[in-house]
Amino acid sequence: MANKRQLFAIAALFAALAFVPLFVTDSYIRHLFIIAFVYAVIASNWNLSLGHCGVFNFGHLTFFGIGVYTAAIASKTFGINPWIAMLLGGGTAALSALLLAAPVARLKGIYVVLVTFAFSQLALQLVLSQSQITGGAEGMVRLPFLQLGSYSFLKDFKFGYYYVGLLLLALSCLFLAFLSNSSFGKSLKAVRDAEDYAAARGISVARQRILALTLSAIFTGIAGGFYAIYLRVASPEVFGFGTLSLALSMVLIGGVNTVFGPVLAALVLTFATEAMAGLQGFEDARFIVIAVAMILVLRLAPEGLVDLLGKLRLPVRPART
C-alpha cells in the first residue's frame, strides 16, 4: 500500500489541479492540461499490462484509437448522446483487448510485440479502408459537443472539459490503485517476476494476462472517446507511432512500478514538449531531448521519476511492488 506521504502528495496534486481553472483563464493552457490528462490516463493504464504484468503490449494505443472512432461514429452517425458515446468507447476498447489477449496470452518476448503491433496496423487499415463509415484518411470532423442540460461546453473557454478530463483521470487512478493493491494486482506481479512459480502456486498465467490487457483498455477507450468529443475530430493519426512513443516515454520516465508515476510524467512531458515546440531549433529535436531524458532517468532511477524524487528527499516515494 502507498504510504501516507505518497497519499498526501497525490491528494495535494489533485487538489491543486482542481483549482487551476479558477486562476488560469487562458483557454490554451487549459487545453494543454486536458491533453495531459488524456495522456496520463493512457500511460497509467498501459502500465497495468506493461509494468504490473510484464506484457509488452505494443497495441495499447489501438485501444485508444478504437475509443476515438467508437465515440465519433456513435455520436455523429447514430446520434447517440456524446456522454454515452464516450463510455461506449471504453466498452469496444475492452472487447477488442479481449480479442487481442486470446492469442497473446500464451506468447512471450518478441512474439507479443509482433502480434500486438500487427493488431494496431490491422485497426489502422480497417479505419482507412472503411471510409464510408470512418471518413478514411480525412477522418471525421464536427463531432457533437458535450452539454449538461442547457449548459454548453463549447463556449466556456474549456472550463467544463477541464473538469471532465480531471474527473476521468481521478477515476482511472482510483481504479488502478485498487487493482494494484488487490490480490489480483499481487498475482499480476507474481506473473511478471516469476511466471513458473506463479503457475506452481495455482495462478493461471494466461487468464491473468487476458484480464490485465482487458482491464487496461477500459479507461484507455473512454479517454479516446473523450479526446474525440473534446476535439470534435477523429483522425487516423491517433494510431501513429509518434503518439505511441510519447505515451511509452511517459510510462518509462514516470515509473513502471507505480500508478501515479506516469501521471506525473504526462503532466511534465506535455508541457515540456509544447514549450520546446515554441523554441527555434527545437521543433523537431524535442523528441530527441525526451529520448535523452528518458535514458538519464532510467539510468539514475530505474523505477522512474517518482523514485528519483524520493532520492532527492521530496515528499513523494513510490510504493514498492
Side-chain angles (χ1 to χ4, degrees):
M1 295 289 285
N3 58 41
K4 292 182 178 180
R5 295 179 66 189
Q6 182 187 6
L7 292 175
F8 177 79
I10 293 166
L13 173 62
F14 274 93
L17 290 173
F19 283 100
V20 166
L22 302 180
F23 299 97
V24 178
T25 58
D26 184 86
S27 61
Y28 184 66
I29 299 299
R30 290 178 179 176
H31 165 75
L32 291 180
F33 271 106
I34 295 170
I35 297 301
F37 295 158
V38 171
Y39 270 113
V41 173
I42 296 171
S44 57
N45 280 273
W46 194 353
N47 203 21
L48 180 64
S49 59
L50 175 61
H52 290 87
C53 194
V55 179
F56 194 89
N57 170 25
F58 218 70
H60 185 75
L61 262 293
T62 307
F63 306 149
F64 175 72
I66 289 172
V68 167
Y69 274 93
T70 296
I73 294 171
S75 61
K76 185 169 185 178
T77 305
F78 295 102
I80 295 175
N81 187 295
W83 292 99
I84 299 176
M86 290 193 301
L87 298 178
L88 289 177
T92 54
L95 179 60
S96 67
L98 183 61
L99 295 175
L100 171 64
V104 166
R106 299 186 183 279
L107 298 177
K108 295 182 180 180
I110 189 64
Y111 299 105
V112 177
V113 176
L114 292 175
V115 171
T116 53
F117 181 75
F119 174 73
S120 68
Q121 292 304 300
L122 175 63
L124 174 60
Q125 293 305 315
L126 184 63
V127 167
L128 294 175
S129 63
Q130 301 300 312
S131 57
Q132 70 278 11
I133 300 175
T134 64
E138 296 181 359
M140 302 176 68
V141 297
R142 298 184 65 82
L143 302 180
F145 52 88
L146 291 181
Q147 287 183 289
L148 201 58
S150 60
Y151 181 78
S152 171
F153 284 44
L154 194 60
K155 300 178 180 180
D156 64 352
F157 300 99
K158 307 186 186 302
F159 185 85
Y161 281 114
Y162 179 96
Y163 282 108
V164 174
L166 182 60
L167 177 62
L168 176 61
L169 176 59
L171 292 175
S172 175
C173 287
L174 289 173
F175 174 72
L176 292 172
F178 171 77
L179 289 180
S180 177
N181 292 299
S182 67
S183 58
F184 171 73
K186 292 178 175 62
S187 71
L188 293 185
K189 298 176 181 68
V191 170
R192 177 197 66 193
D193 296 334
E195 180 180 321
D196 292 336
Y197 177 76
R201 298 287 293 179
I203 297 174
S204 173
V205 174
R207 183 188 62 198
Q208 299 308 87
R209 286 177 173 171
I210 291 173
L211 287 173
L213 286 170
T214 303
L215 292 171
S216 72
I218 296 175
F219 275 95
T220 303
I222 296 175
F226 170 68
Y227 183 82
I229 296 300
Y230 166 60
L231 294 179
R232 304 186 68 196
V233 172
S235 167
E237 292 179 359
V238 296
F239 296 99
F241 188 77
T243 307
L244 184 146
S245 59
L246 183 58
L248 180 59
S249 68
M250 293 171 180
V251 176
L252 297 179
I253 291 176
V256 295
N257 290 332
T258 67
V259 171
F260 297 97
V263 174
L264 181 60
L267 291 168
V268 172
L269 290 182
T270 299
F271 281 90
T273 53
E274 189 62 26
M276 286 187 286
L279 296 176
Q280 186 175 2
F282 279 88
E283 296 89 344
D284 298 321
R286 53 183 170 160
F287 298 108
I288 298 177
V289 174
I290 291 175
V292 172
M294 181 167 59
I295 294 172
L296 290 175
V297 169
L298 293 178
R299 178 67 181 85
L300 296 173
E303 294 187 19
L305 185 61
V306 177
D307 185 57
L308 181 61
L309 293 176
K311 290 181 178 180
L312 294 174
R313 299 181 181 276
L314 292 177
V316 179
R317 296 186 62 85
R320 298 291 176 178
T321 58

